[in-house]
């Protein structure tokens, strides 16, 4: 599903056709992929329109290439399509925690119950499984097999027909045994299109066991049809979350995902295979990064973040030089962090408007090596806010304390303070020169 998008991104970033042509081709490919992944056609067009609009109205930040910026926009908008910044909470906020699984028969509830039990067991929780499917023959055996495979106890009552009673007794037993997470598997004898009946059954068991979370399991192969079920469920259950199974090997996964996301429901996990560990926490951004090619996306995002940090610093320096702000060690700290990747400090000064023409800046003196940066960051981590904001108060005894706290030598602390003073002097010099240049320019 959506597999060809990764190639399209590569081709877009490295291809030789003109930018406009490449954008056009990419958008066509995107539309084609999404529609063949069964995403609603209207959603697809509104997505690509949004992308085009942003291309028209927004400018790439300095140092970011147009092509990279374009992929960032695609990444943002695709993430929104699949749920935006919603990051599901998978670790329960209380213990014991009871999860009840509901859903149409054959969607993968029982399999998912096993996967969830395994997921939480691996995280160190004491987990119990309750088999309350009394309709499907051998349903309990299926769950017991899974439980045995992963070493999780399973509660069931072979031959008993009262699902509500089983669920209730199972949860009570595990509670008395101090289980931390209890997962209740239920029957789903109703087909799609019978949402009302499904929700009714869910209500009965719900009333009996009062779970902390109700999870609707949806099969990805139903594609856009997931919308009706998910939206009714989302309205009926305040504590409801959704798991979409069979994301592997179905062309309609994109349709199911985007349809469910459109209801505002939280997609917690996706099932990506029949095996016990084929369950993933669903995070829209991470999911999209993967379909677009993780490596490329991460590189672009990192670059954009660096540039943003750099811009912030540049603004601060402009303020300092124009006399509106004061340089503190906190600024030096932020600079060191941002500059680790961006190059020497002198570059920053050269970027400032009107400064480049001011001539040579003592570049070598302002260069800071990696080893030194590490030390200085440690030193600044050991300083108080007061010291960071007001380095002039740092006397001998403070220096000793800071060196001790950061595992460095007093000489290192001194050196950092000297670097700070050098920056201060450089700024003073720049201020003076700026005035000179302005005076000079004023004469024309
Ligand atoms: P239930 O009736 O809702 O309990 O569904 P089951 O758990 O019995 O699963 C029905 C079928 O779907 C089984 O053959 C499972 O192996 C399969 N299944 C469940 N989850 C997944 C998944 O994420 N991917 C694939 N490919 N198959 C799955
Ligand atoms: Mg089942």
């Amino acid at each position: 599903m959506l597999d060809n998008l990764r190639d399209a991104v590569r081709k877009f970033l490295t291809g030789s056709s003109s930018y406009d042509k490449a954008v056009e081709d990419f958008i066509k490919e995107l539309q084609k992929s999404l529609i063949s992944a069964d995403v609603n056609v209207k959603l697809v067009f509104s997505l690509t329109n949004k992308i085009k609009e942003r291309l028209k109205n927004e400018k790439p930040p300095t140092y970011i290439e147009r092509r990279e910026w374009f992929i960032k926009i695609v990444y943002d908008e695709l993430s929104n399509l699949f749920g935006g910044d919603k990051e599901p909470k998978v670790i329960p906020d209380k213990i014991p925690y009871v999860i009840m699984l509901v859903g149409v028969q054959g969607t993968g509830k029982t399999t998912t119950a096993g996967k969830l039990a395994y997921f939480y067991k691996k995280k160190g929780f004491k987990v119990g499984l309750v088999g309350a499917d009394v309709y499907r023959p051998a349903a309990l055996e299926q769950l017991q097999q899974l439980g045995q495979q992963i070493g999780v106890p399973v509660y069931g009552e072979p031959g008993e027909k009262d699902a509500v009673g089983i669920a209730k007794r199972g949860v009570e037993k595990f509670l008395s045994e101090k289980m931390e997470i209890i997962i209740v598997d239920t029957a789903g004898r109703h087909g799609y299109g019978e949402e009302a009946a499904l929700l009714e059954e869910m209500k009965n068991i719900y009333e009996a066991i009062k779970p902390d979370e109700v999870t609707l399991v949806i099969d990805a192969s139903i594609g856009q049809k997931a919308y009706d079920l998910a939206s009714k469920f989302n309205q009926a259950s305040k504590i409801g979350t959704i798991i979409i199974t069979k994301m592997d090997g179905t062309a309609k996964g994109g349709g199911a995902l985007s349809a469910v996301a459109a209801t505002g429901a939280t997609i917690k996990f996706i099932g990506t295979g029949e095996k016990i560990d084929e369950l993933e926490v669903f995070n829209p951004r991470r999911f999209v990064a993967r379909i677009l090619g993780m490596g490329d996306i991460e590189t672009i995002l990192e670059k954009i973040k660096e540039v943003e940090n750099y811009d912030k610093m540049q603004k601060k320096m402009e303020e300092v030089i124009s006399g509106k702000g004061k340089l503190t060690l906190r600024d030096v700290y932020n600079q060191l962090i941002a500059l680790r990747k961006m190059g020497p400090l002198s570059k920053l000064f050269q970027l400032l408007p009107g400064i480049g023409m001011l001539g040579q800046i003592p570049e070598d003196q302002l260069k800071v090596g990696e080893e030194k940066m590490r030390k200085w960051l440690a030193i600044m981590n050991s300083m108080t806010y007061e010291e960071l904001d007001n380095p002039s108060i740092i006397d001998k005894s403070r220096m000793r304390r800071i060196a001790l706290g950061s595992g460095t030598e007093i000489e290192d602390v001194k050196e950092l303070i000297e670097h700070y003073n050098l920056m201060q002097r450089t700024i003073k010099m720049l201020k003076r020169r700026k005035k000179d240049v302005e005076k000079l320019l004023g004469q024309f």
Side-chain angles (χ1 to χ4, degrees), residues 266-307:
T266 303
I267 303 168
K268 210 169 162 183
F269 291 94
I270 52 177
T272 55
E274 298 194 36
K275 290 203 222 70
I276 196 85
D277 61 349
E278 289 176 315
L279 181 79
E280 288 175 23
V281 176
F282 181 70
N283 176 308
R285 286 195 171 270
R286 214 174 320 129
F287 178 75
V288 170
R290 220 173 39 211
I291 59 177
L292 292 182
M294 201 61 135
D296 287 322
I297 292 295
E298 275 175 353
T299 309
I300 293 173
L301 293 180
E302 200 161 294
K303 209 164 153 189
I304 289 177
K305 202 161 157 223
E306 277 170 28
V307 166

Side-chain angles (χ1 to χ4, degrees), residues 99 110-129 143 146-153 181 183 269 274-280:
I99 301 171
T110 305
T111 310
T112 303
K115 288 177 176 178
L116 280 176
Y118 181 62
F119 176 87
Y120 286 116
K121 190 189 154 141
K122 266 196 319 192
K123 294 234 178 286
F125 290 99
K126 275 174 72 183
V127 187
L129 282 162
L143 195 65
L146 285 167
Q148 209 158 38
Q149 187 189 337
I150 58 176
V152 164
I181 294 182
I183 299 163
F269 291 94
E274 298 194 36
K275 290 203 222 70
I276 196 85
D277 61 349
E278 289 176 315
L279 181 79
E280 288 175 23

Side-chain angles (χ1 to χ4, degrees), residues 282-336:
F282 181 70
N283 176 308
R285 286 195 171 270
R286 214 174 320 129
F287 178 75
V288 170
R290 220 173 39 211
I291 59 177
L292 292 182
M294 201 61 135
D296 287 322
I297 292 295
E298 275 175 353
T299 309
I300 293 173
L301 293 180
E302 200 161 294
K303 209 164 153 189
I304 289 177
K305 202 161 157 223
E306 277 170 28
V307 166
E308 279 167 1
N309 284 343
Y310 208 72
D311 282 350
K312 243 191 260 158
M313 274 167 24
Q314 201 173 327
K315 255 207 200 97
K316 173 78 194 184
M317 291 307 275
E318 276 170 40
E319 275 175 22
V320 170
I321 290 174
S322 66
K324 266 185 276 178
K326 171 178 165 236
L327 187 81
T328 68
L329 269 175
R330 268 199 234 219
D331 302 317
V332 177
Y333 184 91
N334 290 334
Q335 279 171 350
L336 284 183

Side-chain angles (χ1 to χ4, degrees), residues 104-111 133 136 139-140 142-143 185-188:
V104 173
Q105 181 157 46
T107 50
K109 279 183 307 302
T110 305
T111 310
D133 179 354
R136 183 165 165 175
L140 184 58
Q142 188 192 354
L143 195 65
D185 180 29
T186 66

Side-chain angles (χ1 to χ4, degrees), residues 221-262:
S221 67
I222 69 163
Q224 295 176 40
K225 275 189 273 170
Y227 182 86
D228 279 336
L229 190 56
S231 59
K232 289 208 178 79
F233 171 75
N234 200 33
Q235 282 157 20
S237 175
K238 272 203 253 19
I239 50 165
T241 54
I242 291 178
I243 294 179
I244 302 184
T245 58
K246 308 186 193 177
M247 282 296 292
D248 55 308
T250 166
K252 294 186 163 187
L257 266 186
S258 54
V260 171

